[in-house]
Amino acid sequence: MAAFGRWKAQRLARADCSRRGALDERAAGVVRLLNGRAPFCTTSSCSGRLVLAEGGAAESAGVPAAIPKKRCRWLLVAHEPCGRADVMAALEKATGDVVFKFEPFVLHVLCQELQDAQLLHSVAIESGFKNSGITVGRGGKIMMAVRSAHCLEVPLSHMGKLMVSEEYIEFLVHVANQKMEENARRIDRFYKHLEAALEAAGGVSNSPSTDTQEVHAVYVRRRKRRTVQTQDVLPSPEGHNEELEPGDDPEGSLDIFAGITL
């Protein structure tokens, strides 16, 4: 318990290494709520975004299946709904293969005890983040990932040539904006449900002590109300394809998420 507290203090004292250098406004409430509780430490987050990402030419049939984030150029990044004109203006700068994406809210939280992670997992599932999961490393570190499959990824151009009509791009932008709005509602639900669950658990508080039996009881009561898939290691959603490996230091494993938080 003392070791977790020291690690958390060191982690939170670090400078924000993301491109933006600060928390996304929509995710800030959840992050601060969790970091204000002794058993939790957030390691990375993104509130959700619309992205135009350009990479090299695709190797098969001219279709860019997946552009690695570390080797792509960002033509457009928006954390709020955008318009067709924004996308078209960004596409004018394209010389390679471009993919249009919506990436939903993602949050990684190091947890002190398995019961703490179970409580957080229960709240995430209840709030609509169905792809959430818990990873336990060989060293005993417990990582909870809040994720959903509420994604969108569509190739738009190949070697700088637009492969779809402007009408289709307008339709895609409309769909992506709807997903962005639903993503915001899920974040709001997650915050409200998390706040209520932490209050009900009582022992999960700002004090260093944690009544893990009480927290576990809350988790079990929530689980009985519905049927949910196992919360062991769940597959990573498209767009976030580097995940914590067993035994890895979550700090190092999740650097990619810190790097893409804008």
Side-chain angles (χ1 to χ4, degrees), residues 19 29 31 36 46 54 58 64 73 95 98 112 118 143 146 165 188 205 215 247:
R19 291 171 182 262
V31 170
C46 179
E54 180 184 47
R73 183 164 69 109
T95 57
V98 176
Q112 184 170 280
Q118 288 173 327
M143 185 65 65
V146 181
S165 67
D188 290 342
S205 65
V215 174

PDB file of all heavy atoms in Angstrom, residues 19 29 31 36 46 54 58 64 73 95 98 112 118 143 146 165 188 205 215 247:
ATOM      1  N   ARG A  19       1.070  15.583 -26.634  1.00  0.00           N
ATOM      2  CA  ARG A  19       1.234  16.647 -27.620  1.00  0.00           C
ATOM      3  C   ARG A  19       0.598  17.944 -27.127  1.00  0.00           C
ATOM      4  O   ARG A  19       1.114  19.027 -27.341  1.00  0.00           O
ATOM      5  CB  ARG A  19       0.590  16.235 -28.947  1.00  0.00           C
ATOM      6  CG  ARG A  19       1.307  15.107 -29.666  1.00  0.00           C
ATOM      7  CD  ARG A  19       0.487  14.612 -30.840  1.00  0.00           C
ATOM      8  NE  ARG A  19       1.141  13.508 -31.513  1.00  0.00           N
ATOM      9  CZ  ARG A  19       1.874  13.618 -32.606  1.00  0.00           C
ATOM     10  NH1 ARG A  19       2.061  14.805 -33.153  1.00  0.00           N
ATOM     11  NH2 ARG A  19       2.430  12.565 -33.156  1.00  0.00           N
ATOM     12  N   GLY A  29     -12.570  15.814 -15.574  1.00  0.00           N
ATOM     13  CA  GLY A  29     -13.333  15.536 -14.366  1.00  0.00           C
ATOM     14  C   GLY A  29     -13.132  14.118 -13.877  1.00  0.00           C
ATOM     15  O   GLY A  29     -12.924  13.873 -12.682  1.00  0.00           O
ATOM     16  N   VAL A  31     -10.589  12.095 -14.603  1.00  0.00           N
ATOM     17  CA  VAL A  31      -9.191  11.909 -14.197  1.00  0.00           C
ATOM     18  C   VAL A  31      -8.959  12.460 -12.790  1.00  0.00           C
ATOM     19  O   VAL A  31      -8.333  11.797 -11.944  1.00  0.00           O
ATOM     20  CB  VAL A  31      -8.250  12.587 -15.212  1.00  0.00           C
ATOM     21  CG1 VAL A  31      -6.811  12.615 -14.691  1.00  0.00           C
ATOM     22  CG2 VAL A  31      -8.309  11.864 -16.551  1.00  0.00           C
ATOM     23  N   GLY A  36      -7.943  11.685  -7.079  1.00  0.00           N
ATOM     24  CA  GLY A  36      -8.230  12.150  -5.725  1.00  0.00           C
ATOM     25  C   GLY A  36      -8.529  11.027  -4.753  1.00  0.00           C
ATOM     26  O   GLY A  36      -8.713  11.276  -3.569  1.00  0.00           O
ATOM     27  N   CYS A  46      -7.619   9.961 -23.211  1.00  0.00           N
ATOM     28  CA  CYS A  46      -8.009  10.779 -24.350  1.00  0.00           C
ATOM     29  C   CYS A  46      -9.525  10.838 -24.338  1.00  0.00           C
ATOM     30  O   CYS A  46     -10.187   9.810 -24.207  1.00  0.00           O
ATOM     31  CB  CYS A  46      -7.503  10.190 -25.669  1.00  0.00           C
ATOM     32  SG  CYS A  46      -7.991  11.172 -27.116  1.00  0.00           S
ATOM     33  N   GLU A  54      -2.392  10.656 -42.166  1.00  0.00           N
ATOM     34  CA  GLU A  54      -1.769  10.310 -43.442  1.00  0.00           C
ATOM     35  C   GLU A  54      -0.527   9.479 -43.209  1.00  0.00           C
ATOM     36  O   GLU A  54       0.335   9.813 -42.384  1.00  0.00           O
ATOM     37  CB  GLU A  54      -1.392  11.572 -44.211  1.00  0.00           C
ATOM     38  CG  GLU A  54      -0.729  11.281 -45.555  1.00  0.00           C
ATOM     39  CD  GLU A  54      -0.275  12.545 -46.253  1.00  0.00           C
ATOM     40  OE1 GLU A  54       0.355  13.397 -45.593  1.00  0.00           O
ATOM     41  OE2 GLU A  54      -0.549  12.674 -47.452  1.00  0.00           O
ATOM     42  N   ALA A  58      -0.194   2.217 -49.267  1.00  0.00           N
ATOM     43  CA  ALA A  58      -0.559   0.905 -48.747  1.00  0.00           C
ATOM     44  C   ALA A  58       0.123  -0.185 -49.562  1.00  0.00           C
ATOM     45  O   ALA A  58       0.426  -0.018 -50.733  1.00  0.00           O
ATOM     46  CB  ALA A  58      -2.074   0.728 -48.789  1.00  0.00           C
ATOM     47  N   PRO A  64      -5.183   1.572 -47.281  1.00  0.00           N
ATOM     48  CA  PRO A  64      -4.424   1.709 -46.034  1.00  0.00           C
ATOM     49  C   PRO A  64      -5.168   1.068 -44.886  1.00  0.00           C
ATOM     50  O   PRO A  64      -6.054   1.661 -44.289  1.00  0.00           O
ATOM     51  CB  PRO A  64      -4.336   3.232 -45.858  1.00  0.00           C
ATOM     52  CG  PRO A  64      -5.545   3.758 -46.562  1.00  0.00           C
ATOM     53  CD  PRO A  64      -5.822   2.818 -47.685  1.00  0.00           C
ATOM     54  N   ARG A  73       1.237  11.366 -40.363  1.00  0.00           N
ATOM     55  CA  ARG A  73       1.176  12.825 -40.278  1.00  0.00           C
ATOM     56  C   ARG A  73      -0.258  13.212 -39.968  1.00  0.00           C
ATOM     57  O   ARG A  73      -1.197  12.750 -40.607  1.00  0.00           O
ATOM     58  CB  ARG A  73       1.626  13.447 -41.608  1.00  0.00           C
ATOM     59  CG  ARG A  73       1.669  14.970 -41.597  1.00  0.00           C
ATOM     60  CD  ARG A  73       2.482  15.484 -42.775  1.00  0.00           C
ATOM     61  NE  ARG A  73       1.825  15.257 -44.051  1.00  0.00           N
ATOM     62  CZ  ARG A  73       1.291  16.232 -44.795  1.00  0.00           C
ATOM     63  NH1 ARG A  73       1.317  17.494 -44.359  1.00  0.00           N
ATOM     64  NH2 ARG A  73       0.733  15.964 -45.940  1.00  0.00           N
ATOM     65  N   THR A  95      -0.641  13.971 -49.506  1.00  0.00           N
ATOM     66  CA  THR A  95       0.172  13.468 -50.620  1.00  0.00           C
ATOM     67  C   THR A  95       0.253  11.938 -50.597  1.00  0.00           C
ATOM     68  O   THR A  95       0.757  11.331 -51.535  1.00  0.00           O
ATOM     69  CB  THR A  95       1.594  14.037 -50.543  1.00  0.00           C
ATOM     70  OG1 THR A  95       2.176  13.700 -49.268  1.00  0.00           O
ATOM     71  CG2 THR A  95       1.590  15.555 -50.707  1.00  0.00           C
ATOM     72  N   VAL A  98      -4.701   8.519 -46.797  1.00  0.00           N
ATOM     73  CA  VAL A  98      -5.326   9.197 -45.669  1.00  0.00           C
ATOM     74  C   VAL A  98      -6.506   8.378 -45.155  1.00  0.00           C
ATOM     75  O   VAL A  98      -7.320   7.879 -45.940  1.00  0.00           O
ATOM     76  CB  VAL A  98      -5.814  10.611 -46.059  1.00  0.00           C
ATOM     77  CG1 VAL A  98      -6.557  11.268 -44.900  1.00  0.00           C
ATOM     78  CG2 VAL A  98      -4.635  11.468 -46.482  1.00  0.00           C
ATOM     79  N   GLN A 112      -4.722  -0.094  -6.943  1.00  0.00           N
ATOM     80  CA  GLN A 112      -3.982  -0.632  -5.806  1.00  0.00           C
ATOM     81  C   GLN A 112      -4.317  -2.095  -5.556  1.00  0.00           C
ATOM     82  O   GLN A 112      -3.435  -2.912  -5.312  1.00  0.00           O
ATOM     83  CB  GLN A 112      -4.303   0.188  -4.555  1.00  0.00           C
ATOM     84  CG  GLN A 112      -3.502  -0.229  -3.321  1.00  0.00           C
ATOM     85  CD  GLN A 112      -3.682   0.752  -2.188  1.00  0.00           C
ATOM     86  OE1 GLN A 112      -3.070   1.802  -2.159  1.00  0.00           O
ATOM     87  NE2 GLN A 112      -4.552   0.422  -1.270  1.00  0.00           N
ATOM     88  N   GLN A 118     -12.002  -4.002 -10.105  1.00  0.00           N
ATOM     89  CA  GLN A 118     -13.312  -4.604 -10.367  1.00  0.00           C
ATOM     90  C   GLN A 118     -14.434  -3.568 -10.229  1.00  0.00           C
ATOM     91  O   GLN A 118     -15.380  -3.555 -11.024  1.00  0.00           O
ATOM     92  CB  GLN A 118     -13.546  -5.768  -9.407  1.00  0.00           C
ATOM     93  CG  GLN A 118     -12.685  -6.983  -9.732  1.00  0.00           C
ATOM     94  CD  GLN A 118     -12.809  -8.071  -8.676  1.00  0.00           C
ATOM     95  OE1 GLN A 118     -12.994  -7.787  -7.488  1.00  0.00           O
ATOM     96  NE2 GLN A 118     -12.710  -9.316  -9.096  1.00  0.00           N
ATOM     97  N   MET A 143      -3.826  -3.085 -13.898  1.00  0.00           N
ATOM     98  CA  MET A 143      -4.189  -1.996 -14.798  1.00  0.00           C
ATOM     99  C   MET A 143      -5.620  -2.179 -15.283  1.00  0.00           C
ATOM    100  O   MET A 143      -5.991  -3.243 -15.745  1.00  0.00           O
ATOM    101  CB  MET A 143      -3.250  -1.956 -15.998  1.00  0.00           C
ATOM    102  CG  MET A 143      -3.474  -0.780 -16.934  1.00  0.00           C
ATOM    103  SD  MET A 143      -3.113   0.824 -16.183  1.00  0.00           S
ATOM    104  CE  MET A 143      -1.339   0.679 -15.913  1.00  0.00           C
ATOM    105  N   VAL A 146     -10.398   1.554 -19.584  1.00  0.00           N
ATOM    106  CA  VAL A 146     -11.770   1.934 -19.921  1.00  0.00           C
ATOM    107  C   VAL A 146     -11.793   2.213 -21.419  1.00  0.00           C
ATOM    108  O   VAL A 146     -11.158   3.156 -21.885  1.00  0.00           O
ATOM    109  CB  VAL A 146     -12.225   3.182 -19.133  1.00  0.00           C
ATOM    110  CG1 VAL A 146     -13.667   3.545 -19.493  1.00  0.00           C
ATOM    111  CG2 VAL A 146     -12.094   2.950 -17.636  1.00  0.00           C
ATOM    112  N   SER A 165     -16.474  10.589 -52.935  1.00  0.00           N
ATOM    113  CA  SER A 165     -17.091  11.867 -53.293  1.00  0.00           C
ATOM    114  C   SER A 165     -17.190  12.786 -52.074  1.00  0.00           C
ATOM    115  O   SER A 165     -17.147  12.328 -50.923  1.00  0.00           O
ATOM    116  CB  SER A 165     -18.487  11.624 -53.857  1.00  0.00           C
ATOM    117  OG  SER A 165     -19.357  11.129 -52.848  1.00  0.00           O
ATOM    118  N   ASP A 188     -20.110  11.371 -19.509  1.00  0.00           N
ATOM    119  CA  ASP A 188     -20.923  11.974 -18.444  1.00  0.00           C
ATOM    120  C   ASP A 188     -21.542  10.890 -17.558  1.00  0.00           C
ATOM    121  O   ASP A 188     -21.553  11.011 -16.325  1.00  0.00           O
ATOM    122  CB  ASP A 188     -22.027  12.848 -19.039  1.00  0.00           C
ATOM    123  CG  ASP A 188     -21.479  14.123 -19.676  1.00  0.00           C
ATOM    124  OD1 ASP A 188     -20.330  14.494 -19.364  1.00  0.00           O
ATOM    125  OD2 ASP A 188     -22.206  14.743 -20.479  1.00  0.00           O
ATOM    126  N   SER A 205     -11.620   6.065  -0.529  1.00  0.00           N
ATOM    127  CA  SER A 205     -11.701   7.499  -0.240  1.00  0.00           C
ATOM    128  C   SER A 205     -10.340   8.139  -0.363  1.00  0.00           C
ATOM    129  O   SER A 205      -9.381   7.533  -0.801  1.00  0.00           O
ATOM    130  CB  SER A 205     -12.240   7.697   1.178  1.00  0.00           C
ATOM    131  OG  SER A 205     -11.323   7.183   2.118  1.00  0.00           O
ATOM    132  N   VAL A 215     -15.722  -2.747  -1.042  1.00  0.00           N
ATOM    133  CA  VAL A 215     -15.655  -2.410  -2.455  1.00  0.00           C
ATOM    134  C   VAL A 215     -16.051  -3.610  -3.296  1.00  0.00           C
ATOM    135  O   VAL A 215     -16.814  -3.504  -4.255  1.00  0.00           O
ATOM    136  CB  VAL A 215     -14.226  -1.955  -2.835  1.00  0.00           C
ATOM    137  CG1 VAL A 215     -14.123  -1.750  -4.344  1.00  0.00           C
ATOM    138  CG2 VAL A 215     -13.863  -0.689  -2.096  1.00  0.00           C
ATOM    139  N   GLY A 247       3.490  -8.444 -16.964  1.00  0.00           N
ATOM    140  CA  GLY A 247       4.808  -8.242 -16.389  1.00  0.00           C
ATOM    141  C   GLY A 247       5.470  -6.941 -16.781  1.00  0.00           C
ATOM    142  O   GLY A 247       6.477  -6.563 -16.211  1.00  0.00           O
TER     143      GLY A 247
END
